[in-house]
Amino acid sequence: MSVTTAEPDYVVVVNDEEQYSIWRSDRELPAGWEADGPAGSKDECLDRIETVWTDMRPRCARS
């Protein structure tokens, strides 16, 4: 018998310095981070980050 486990949903999160990451959607967000978009697969969330996070420098380092 084959058991398949569904991949958990993730959500894109962003902090005050406009740095992005992904977080499991079934877990409480860490302090200082907020959701930025709907939940989806890990690949969907990483694709979104690739699209929106075009400047990797923290906000405080940008002029």
Side-chain angles (χ1 to χ4, degrees), residues 6-22:
E7 180 181 330
D9 279 341
Y10 290 85
V11 65
V12 175
V13 293
V14 61
N15 65 17
D16 291 339
E17 288 293 331
E18 297 177 356
Q19 297 170 310
Y20 288 82
S21 188
I22 61 172

Side-chain angles (χ1 to χ4, degrees), residues 34-58:
E34 62 183 55
D36 183 59
S41 71
K42 187 174 188 176
D43 287 337
E44 290 169 332
C45 289
L46 292 173
D47 288 345
R48 174 161 170 72
I49 290 173
E50 187 174 339
T51 300
V52 298
W53 196 12
T54 58
D55 188 343
M56 301 292 280
R57 296 174 296 163

Side-chain angles (χ1 to χ4, degrees), residues 1-10 24 26 41-42:
M1 176 186 251
S2 176
V3 176
T4 56
T5 56
E7 180 181 330
D9 279 341
Y10 290 85
R24 293 259 310 254
D26 61 346
S41 71
K42 187 174 188 176

